[in-house]
Amino acid sequence: MALTQVSSNKCAGGFQKVFEHDSTELKCKMKFAVFLPPKAETGKCPVFYWLSGLTCTEQNFITKAGSQLAAAEHGIIIVAPDTSPRGCSIEGEDETWDFGTGAGFYVDATQDPWKTNYRMYSYVTEELPKLINSNFPTDPDRMSISGHSMGGHGALICALKNPGKYKAVSAFAPICNPMQCPWGQKAFSGYLGPDRSAWEAYDATVLAGSYSGPQLDILIDQGRDDQFLSASQLLPDNLISVCSEKKIPVVFRLQPGYDHSYFFIYSFMNDHIKHHAKYLNA
């Protein structure tokens, strides 16, 4: 599959690049960012996938998270895709900030008019890794996943739905129980329809309750002053309770004074990359 390089910048001894390609899953042109550490010039590297939150593109993470120095140190390739299809000319796709463009929610939509293009789950778990592994010096057996907010939800469900596929998972302020919060209910109703049983396939709290794969050590950071925590959009306690019952190891860190922004992500990014490196480089 042909890739078009959009940009390339020397960074942390490696290169921060952005590419565009025609997606077969999403039926549109998609961009993704990839950081290639110095080690990628001489050998294969593990891959850390980052899923961004509502309204974001591939640019937010690479310009604000400060991930490149730690990724260079640990020899990890970082891939950050966009958050939704774009320019699909679907009626209503640009009406609100939390549904449609910039808000793919990492599900495979089943409802018209979204089901043709809005297949971010399959894009992230199948199409994109194949594309990355065929074009960059990766070790396909060593990949992990992380994300923020809507992307934290995406990272958790990808790991829980695919036991053993990802060596590690972490999240910043994830939407942990979307079936029970306004953001999730809006997105799932639109993309998946009114049958709530169909929503369970994309809810981390529900998925954790039935998880039976290899041990998955989860790291979650949450800002205590996050406005969306107080607005009951994120609901981390629900996930932690289920993981405790199922004996799924979770390190949950409630960080005093931090909000939902990339200033929060930047502050703890190194910890997350170290968490992933422990499993990716084992």
Side-chain angles (χ1 to χ4, degrees), residues 1 21-30 116-117 119 123 126-128:
M1 193 179 295
H21 72 106
D22 291 312
S23 168
T24 55
E25 282 288 355
L26 309 179
K27 308 291 191 293
C28 67
K29 286 191 180 298
M30 287 295 285
T116 300
N117 304 99
R119 298 181 50 80
Y123 177 73
E126 297 296 336
E127 182 180 0
L128 186 59

mmCIF file of all heavy atoms in Angstrom, residues 1 21-30 116-117 119 123 126-128:
data_model
loop_
_atom_site.group_PDB
_atom_site.id
_atom_site.type_symbol
_atom_site.label_atom_id
_atom_site.label_comp_id
_atom_site.label_asym_id
_atom_site.label_seq_id
_atom_site.Cartn_x
_atom_site.Cartn_y
_atom_site.Cartn_z
ATOM 1 N N MET A 1 0.845 -1.189 0.000
ATOM 2 C CA MET A 1 0.000 0.000 0.000
ATOM 3 C C MET A 1 0.882 1.241 0.000
ATOM 4 O O MET A 1 1.810 1.355 0.785
ATOM 5 C CB MET A 1 -0.898 -0.011 1.241
ATOM 6 C CG MET A 1 -2.028 1.007 1.193
ATOM 7 S SD MET A 1 -3.043 0.915 2.679
ATOM 8 C CE MET A 1 -3.720 -0.741 2.476
ATOM 9 N N HIS A 21 -2.091 8.010 3.455
ATOM 10 C CA HIS A 21 -2.351 6.842 2.622
ATOM 11 C C HIS A 21 -3.853 6.707 2.398
ATOM 12 O O HIS A 21 -4.663 7.326 3.094
ATOM 13 C CB HIS A 21 -1.802 5.569 3.289
ATOM 14 C CG HIS A 21 -2.584 5.110 4.478
ATOM 15 N ND1 HIS A 21 -3.422 4.018 4.445
ATOM 16 C CD2 HIS A 21 -2.683 5.609 5.748
ATOM 17 C CE1 HIS A 21 -3.990 3.853 5.621
ATOM 18 N NE2 HIS A 21 -3.558 4.796 6.431
ATOM 19 N N ASP A 22 -4.211 5.912 1.410
ATOM 20 C CA ASP A 22 -5.615 5.600 1.153
ATOM 21 C C ASP A 22 -5.998 4.392 1.996
ATOM 22 O O ASP A 22 -5.469 3.295 1.809
ATOM 23 C CB ASP A 22 -5.841 5.299 -0.331
ATOM 24 C CG ASP A 22 -5.672 6.529 -1.203
ATOM 25 O OD1 ASP A 22 -6.253 7.570 -0.860
ATOM 26 O OD2 ASP A 22 -4.958 6.452 -2.226
ATOM 27 N N SER A 23 -6.925 4.583 2.924
ATOM 28 C CA SER A 23 -7.327 3.507 3.827
ATOM 29 C C SER A 23 -8.414 2.650 3.195
ATOM 30 O O SER A 23 -9.436 3.167 2.736
ATOM 31 C CB SER A 23 -7.840 4.087 5.145
ATOM 32 O OG SER A 23 -8.471 3.082 5.910
ATOM 33 N N THR A 24 -8.196 1.345 3.222
ATOM 34 C CA THR A 24 -9.218 0.426 2.710
ATOM 35 C C THR A 24 -10.356 0.267 3.714
ATOM 36 O O THR A 24 -11.514 0.081 3.322
ATOM 37 C CB THR A 24 -8.610 -0.953 2.403
ATOM 38 O OG1 THR A 24 -7.939 -1.451 3.571
ATOM 39 C CG2 THR A 24 -7.602 -0.853 1.266
ATOM 40 N N GLU A 25 -10.060 0.345 5.002
ATOM 41 C CA GLU A 25 -11.097 0.219 6.029
ATOM 42 C C GLU A 25 -12.003 1.447 6.077
ATOM 43 O O GLU A 25 -13.226 1.328 6.227
ATOM 44 C CB GLU A 25 -10.483 0.007 7.417
ATOM 45 C CG GLU A 25 -9.990 -1.389 7.684
ATOM 46 C CD GLU A 25 -11.107 -2.408 7.877
ATOM 47 O OE1 GLU A 25 -12.293 -2.020 7.895
ATOM 48 O OE2 GLU A 25 -10.776 -3.602 8.000
ATOM 49 N N LEU A 26 -11.391 2.616 5.973
ATOM 50 C CA LEU A 26 -12.123 3.867 6.209
ATOM 51 C C LEU A 26 -12.579 4.544 4.929
ATOM 52 O O LEU A 26 -13.327 5.530 4.977
ATOM 53 C CB LEU A 26 -11.267 4.820 7.038
ATOM 54 C CG LEU A 26 -10.682 4.226 8.326
ATOM 55 C CD1 LEU A 26 -9.841 5.261 9.056
ATOM 56 C CD2 LEU A 26 -11.772 3.704 9.237
ATOM 57 N N LYS A 27 -12.110 4.041 3.786
ATOM 58 C CA LYS A 27 -12.540 4.556 2.479
ATOM 59 C C LYS A 27 -12.261 6.052 2.332
ATOM 60 O O LYS A 27 -13.072 6.819 1.805
ATOM 61 C CB LYS A 27 -14.036 4.293 2.242
ATOM 62 C CG LYS A 27 -14.487 2.847 2.450
ATOM 63 C CD LYS A 27 -13.944 1.914 1.379
ATOM 64 C CE LYS A 27 -14.604 0.548 1.414
ATOM 65 N NZ LYS A 27 -14.270 -0.207 2.643
ATOM 66 N N CYS A 28 -11.106 6.460 2.832
ATOM 67 C CA CYS A 28 -10.711 7.870 2.701
ATOM 68 C C CYS A 28 -9.201 7.956 2.895
ATOM 69 O O CYS A 28 -8.554 6.962 3.249
ATOM 70 C CB CYS A 28 -11.422 8.739 3.735
ATOM 71 S SG CYS A 28 -10.930 8.422 5.455
ATOM 72 N N LYS A 29 -8.641 9.132 2.649
ATOM 73 C CA LYS A 29 -7.224 9.352 2.927
ATOM 74 C C LYS A 29 -7.037 9.544 4.432
ATOM 75 O O LYS A 29 -7.818 10.233 5.080
ATOM 76 C CB LYS A 29 -6.713 10.585 2.180
ATOM 77 C CG LYS A 29 -6.531 10.361 0.692
ATOM 78 C CD LYS A 29 -5.785 11.522 0.068
ATOM 79 C CE LYS A 29 -5.590 11.308 -1.433
ATOM 80 N NZ LYS A 29 -4.782 10.099 -1.735
ATOM 81 N N MET A 30 -6.025 8.888 4.971
ATOM 82 C CA MET A 30 -5.729 9.008 6.397
ATOM 83 C C MET A 30 -4.275 9.406 6.601
ATOM 84 O O MET A 30 -3.398 8.988 5.847
ATOM 85 C CB MET A 30 -5.993 7.684 7.108
ATOM 86 C CG MET A 30 -7.460 7.351 7.283
ATOM 87 S SD MET A 30 -8.337 8.494 8.376
ATOM 88 C CE MET A 30 -7.717 7.964 9.995
ATOM 89 N N THR A 116 -19.941 2.630 6.702
ATOM 90 C CA THR A 116 -19.006 2.473 5.580
ATOM 91 C C THR A 116 -17.623 3.007 5.918
ATOM 92 O O THR A 116 -16.606 2.394 5.574
ATOM 93 C CB THR A 116 -19.545 3.188 4.332
ATOM 94 O OG1 THR A 116 -20.795 2.608 3.980
ATOM 95 C CG2 THR A 116 -18.577 3.052 3.154
ATOM 96 N N ASN A 117 -17.564 4.148 6.615
ATOM 97 C CA ASN A 117 -16.291 4.818 6.872
ATOM 98 C C ASN A 117 -15.796 4.688 8.309
ATOM 99 O O ASN A 117 -14.582 4.598 8.541
ATOM 100 C CB ASN A 117 -16.396 6.302 6.533
ATOM 101 C CG ASN A 117 -16.833 6.556 5.112
ATOM 102 O OD1 ASN A 117 -18.007 6.833 4.862
ATOM 103 N ND2 ASN A 117 -15.915 6.447 4.158
ATOM 104 N N ARG A 119 -14.781 2.926 10.856
ATOM 105 C CA ARG A 119 -14.299 1.602 11.271
ATOM 106 C C ARG A 119 -12.909 1.748 11.903
ATOM 107 O O ARG A 119 -11.950 1.091 11.531
ATOM 108 C CB ARG A 119 -14.274 0.655 10.071
ATOM 109 C CG ARG A 119 -15.664 0.416 9.465
ATOM 110 C CD ARG A 119 -15.602 -0.553 8.272
ATOM 111 N NE ARG A 119 -14.875 -1.771 8.589
ATOM 112 C CZ ARG A 119 -15.389 -2.798 9.261
ATOM 113 N NH1 ARG A 119 -16.643 -2.747 9.696
ATOM 114 N NH2 ARG A 119 -14.660 -3.864 9.507
ATOM 115 N N TYR A 123 -9.291 -0.377 11.760
ATOM 116 C CA TYR A 123 -8.157 0.382 11.223
ATOM 117 C C TYR A 123 -6.969 0.312 12.185
ATOM 118 O O TYR A 123 -5.839 0.023 11.786
ATOM 119 C CB TYR A 123 -8.564 1.835 10.989
ATOM 120 C CG TYR A 123 -7.435 2.716 10.497
ATOM 121 C CD1 TYR A 123 -6.962 2.603 9.194
ATOM 122 C CD2 TYR A 123 -6.833 3.649 11.339
ATOM 123 C CE1 TYR A 123 -5.913 3.408 8.745
ATOM 124 C CE2 TYR A 123 -5.793 4.455 10.905
ATOM 125 C CZ TYR A 123 -5.338 4.318 9.603
ATOM 126 O OH TYR A 123 -4.299 5.106 9.164
ATOM 127 N N GLU A 126 -5.887 -3.696 12.821
ATOM 128 C CA GLU A 126 -5.531 -4.558 11.688
ATOM 129 C C GLU A 126 -4.822 -3.804 10.560
ATOM 130 O O GLU A 126 -3.666 -4.080 10.248
ATOM 131 C CB GLU A 126 -6.793 -5.237 11.140
ATOM 132 C CG GLU A 126 -7.479 -6.158 12.143
ATOM 133 C CD GLU A 126 -6.635 -7.343 12.560
ATOM 134 O OE1 GLU A 126 -5.730 -7.745 11.788
ATOM 135 O OE2 GLU A 126 -6.864 -7.870 13.669
ATOM 136 N N GLU A 127 -5.508 -2.850 9.946
ATOM 137 C CA GLU A 127 -4.931 -2.206 8.764
ATOM 138 C C GLU A 127 -3.656 -1.436 9.082
ATOM 139 O O GLU A 127 -2.636 -1.580 8.383
ATOM 140 C CB GLU A 127 -5.950 -1.267 8.106
ATOM 141 C CG GLU A 127 -5.391 -0.618 6.841
ATOM 142 C CD GLU A 127 -6.358 0.323 6.148
ATOM 143 O OE1 GLU A 127 -7.501 0.504 6.634
ATOM 144 O OE2 GLU A 127 -5.963 0.879 5.107
ATOM 145 N N LEU A 128 -3.689 -0.607 10.117
ATOM 146 C CA LEU A 128 -2.520 0.223 10.417
ATOM 147 C C LEU A 128 -1.292 -0.607 10.806
ATOM 148 O O LEU A 128 -0.199 -0.355 10.283
ATOM 149 C CB LEU A 128 -2.877 1.243 11.505
ATOM 150 C CG LEU A 128 -1.798 2.286 11.820
ATOM 151 C CD1 LEU A 128 -1.434 3.107 10.591
ATOM 152 C CD2 LEU A 128 -2.260 3.196 12.958
#
